[in-house]
Amino acid sequence: MISLIAAFPAHANSDHVCPAQLQKEVEKVSQSPKLLPSRVGVFVQTNDANPQVLANLDGDRYFIPSSNAKLFITAIALKTLGADYRFSTRLMSHNLPNTKGELENGLWLVGSGDPSFRSANGLKSLVTQLKNKGVKRINGGIWTLTSRKGAEVANSWEWSDLQEYYAAIASPFTINENAINWTVSPDTKGKPAIFTWDTPELAKGWRVENQAITGTTDSKYSLKVVRPYGQKVLIISGVIPEKSEPELGGVAIPDPEANFLDLLRQELATQGITVSQNISSNTSKRFPPTQNLAIAYSLPLSQLIITTNKDSNNLYAELLLRALGDRLDENNPEDNLLGGIITINKYLQSINTPPYTFLADGSGLSRRNLTTPRAIVQLLQSVASDQNFRKSLAVSNVDGTLTNRFKNTSAQGLIQAKTGTLTGEIALSGYANPQNHREVIFSIIINNSNLPSRELQQYIDAIALLLTRLEPC
């Protein structure tokens, strides 16, 4: 594909763009023939106490922001929860173990939805702490407890997304990101494709139906990997050509709480702690525990939002949104998702942002999310001086989702931004630092397109590149 940047000579060859010319130059890109059936929204202003608007193309109209929704979650989480906020995962009981090392009345797993909790460090550490407290046997089974309430999946997510790792369930009992990664590789012509779990020890109880075949080197690629909703089954079909690159992917776990408990049981057995009853999540007839036996804290929020924004991690965003809901001061509806959205709206009102943002989830996976380019820019202006937030954004041609974008252009290293991609929808919003102009804040969104995301990306990059060439004139 020919670079679209090269199709706009003024963008590619001019040393500078005058601020007064920016609106006209943005319109040139937006009026490209392939974009005419689509909707293009752009809003650009200087990062000042009294900002100057440099470009406004439908900046006050609604757009689906895709993963730019994460900007609202991470920015407002910093303001509301604080940079030092940490999730905790605990093992608790009603009392300490007796002289025989027996823990009476069961063990309680208390989860808060730590998106970074994993088997290798967090779970192993919890059980080691338990063992160091002298626990050798648990009488009364294992129970679960959480303050989180309500929906763990947004009801507006598309059915086809629910099996995928990027739509993992936002459970308070999250471990290993509630997903398992896999690899499908070709064998020799005519033989079944080679399927492997990246971590087989985490895939116990899963059934794999491998119907995929290795084709000739010139075969058409038609590999499909599907998980029927709610089942621990993976169905692999189609053809993967011989000598082609392995296909990497992941699958969402259908019941994260049961999965966490199963992994906990395995780790207890590994470290020599026995359980007298089958693990159960039924807490209806139990009293809450009071004795902390083991605790694992997440990294501080200032670090968690780096994964959320730079890597565009959906699960992190969803669990952060629910943490916001858990902190709602007033009587919270029995749904932390809704409570988080209420918290978002309260913050936007506090910075006098017009009520033009409607979120249905935290990740941006929902097609019901609506906001305007101007609202995104106003949000970004409100946190422009927060270095924790700024460090969470990907840098052009340096890291995160912008690692391979703006290579060999004047924008290298000059843009800090959040990407966003859904089918037919793409966005880029953040900060641009031209070498000869004060910093500008921008939001660029394209909706309702039938073009491939990679092609849409080039149109957005052509506009963003203009911003790095701003120069007073």
Side-chain angles (χ1 to χ4, degrees):
M1 180 185 296
I2 298 175
S3 171
L4 292 176
I5 293 176
F8 301 99
H11 308 165
N13 301 324
S14 175
D15 290 334
H16 65 268
V17 174
C18 298
Q21 297 174 328
L22 185 61
Q23 178 77 25
K24 184 178 179 181
E25 294 298 323
V26 167
E27 290 174 352
K28 283 182 183 178
V29 180
S30 70
Q31 292 166 4
S32 301
K34 287 187 176 183
L35 288 183
L36 291 180
S38 308
R39 297 183 62 236
V40 181
V42 181
F43 194 87
V44 184
Q45 70 176 39
T46 58
N47 183 16
D48 297 316
N50 297 302
Q52 176 188 358
V53 176
L54 303 182
N56 183 358
L57 183 65
D58 279 346
D60 294 301
R61 294 184 179 274
Y62 286 133
F63 287 84
I64 298 172
S66 55
S67 278
N68 272 201
K70 294 183 178 73
L71 292 170
F72 292 92
I73 309 307
T74 52
I76 297 171
L78 276 174
K79 294 292 184 181
T80 304
L81 302 175
D84 295 327
Y85 174 86
R86 296 173 187 258
F87 291 89
S88 66
T89 307
R90 303 169 188 261
L91 295 179
M92 300 183 69
S93 66
H94 292 87
N95 41 47
L96 293 172
N98 61 28
T99 55
K100 295 180 180 180
E102 296 176 333
L103 195 64
E104 300 296 341
N105 301 315
L107 179 72
W108 294 67
L109 169 66
V110 184
S112 65
D114 176 1
S116 63
F117 192 87
R118 282 169 172 69
S119 294
N121 44 27
L123 187 60
K124 185 174 181 179
S125 171
L126 281 180
V127 176
T128 298
Q129 291 177 57
L130 195 66
K131 189 175 181 179
N132 291 340
K133 285 281 177 65
V135 177
K136 298 178 181 178
R137 179 180 175 85
I138 299 166
N139 295 323
I142 300 180
W143 310 81
T144 58
L145 181 66
T146 182
S147 64
R148 297 287 185 265
K149 302 179 290 291
E152 296 180 350
V153 173
N155 61 14
S156 54
W157 283 4
E158 292 195 354
W159 188 264
S160 59
D161 287 330
L162 296 179
Q163 67 165 328
E164 303 291 349
Y165 71 93
Y166 58 76
I169 296 171
S171 168
F173 304 100
T174 287
I175 185 169
N176 305 317
E177 297 192 21
N178 296 339
I180 310 177
N181 294 325
W182 48 257
T183 302
V184 178
S185 306
D187 199 332
T188 55
K189 181 182 68 174
K191 291 187 176 181
I194 301 170
F195 173 87
T196 56
W197 294 108
D198 290 8
T199 49
E201 65 276 11
L202 301 181
K204 293 180 180 179
W206 281 76
R207 187 174 84 252
V208 178
E209 298 178 7
N210 186 4
Q211 305 163 6
I213 298 297
T214 305
T216 60
T217 54
D218 57 353
S219 296
K220 182 179 179 181
Y221 183 96
S222 61
L223 185 72
K224 290 183 179 180
V225 181
V226 176
R227 190 210 80 190
Y229 182 68
Q231 299 182 40
K232 296 175 74 171
V233 177
L234 218 56
I235 301 173
I236 309 164
S237 61
V239 174
I240 181 169
E242 191 177 23
K243 298 182 180 179
S244 61
E245 291 295 319
E247 178 75 13
L248 308 179
V251 61
I253 291 169
D255 189 342
E257 182 176 340
N259 177 65
F260 198 128
L261 287 169
D262 187 46
L263 294 174
L264 173 57
R265 181 172 55 189
Q266 292 177 36
E267 186 61 33
L268 287 167
T270 297
Q271 297 200 35
I273 300 175
T274 59
V275 182
S276 65
Q277 297 179 16
N278 291 331
I279 291 175
S280 170
S281 61
N282 177 19
T283 63
S284 61
K285 297 182 180 180
R286 310 294 292 187
F287 294 102
T290 56
Q291 182 70 51
N292 276 313
L293 296 177
I295 185 167
Y297 289 105
S298 71
L299 291 172
L301 180 64
S302 58
Q303 295 295 310
L304 296 178
I305 65 169
I306 291 175
T307 300
T308 310
N309 282 335
K310 281 189 185 289
D311 299 337
S312 201
N313 189 297
N314 289 345
L315 181 63
Y316 275 58
E318 293 296 338
L319 289 169
L320 284 175
L321 178 59
R322 286 157 178 80
L324 283 171
D326 200 31
R327 281 290 186 92
L328 194 64
D329 292 334
E330 62 194 43
N331 289 331
N332 186 7
E334 291 295 304
D335 191 333
N336 288 121
L337 172 59
L338 177 58
I341 292 171
I342 292 172
T343 303
I344 297 287
N345 291 335
K346 283 189 170 185
Y347 177 81
L348 294 178
Q349 292 171 12
S350 75
I351 62 171
N352 299 316
T353 298
Y356 295 153
T357 297
F358 298 94
L359 296 183
D361 69 4
S363 61
L365 192 56
S366 173
R367 274 71 171 177
R368 291 186 187 175
N369 291 319
L370 289 174
T371 191
T372 68
R374 185 195 291 267
I376 292 177
V377 168
Q378 289 179 331
L379 172 80
L380 291 173
Q381 184 183 30
S382 76
V383 291
S385 62
D386 190 324
Q387 291 305 305
N388 285 315
F389 179 76
R390 296 291 290 261
K391 290 175 183 177
S392 77
L393 299 176
V395 178
S396 51
N397 196 41
V398 174
D399 61 11
T401 54
L402 290 179
T403 299
N404 298 312
R405 285 175 69 172
F406 300 101
K407 188 175 183 179
N408 299 322
T409 73
S410 62
Q412 292 183 112
L414 300 183
I415 291 175
Q416 287 180 294
K418 180 74 196 73
T419 57
T421 306
L422 291 171
T423 303
E425 329 285 352
I426 192 168
L428 184 71
S429 301
Y431 308 90
N433 286 277
Q435 292 182 347
N436 299 306
H437 190 279
R438 60 190 184 277
E439 184 175 69
V440 297
I441 309 175
F442 68 92
S443 179
I444 311 166
I445 307 177
I446 302 176
N447 279 186
N448 301 343
S449 176
N450 64 351
L451 297 177
S453 295
R454 190 174 295 275
E455 188 170 350
L456 283 176
Q457 177 182 299
Q458 292 193 55
Y459 288 105
I460 280 192
D461 289 359
I463 295 174
L465 192 60
L466 291 170
L467 308 181
T468 64
R469 292 186 173 142
L470 284 168
E471 186 174 322
C473 50

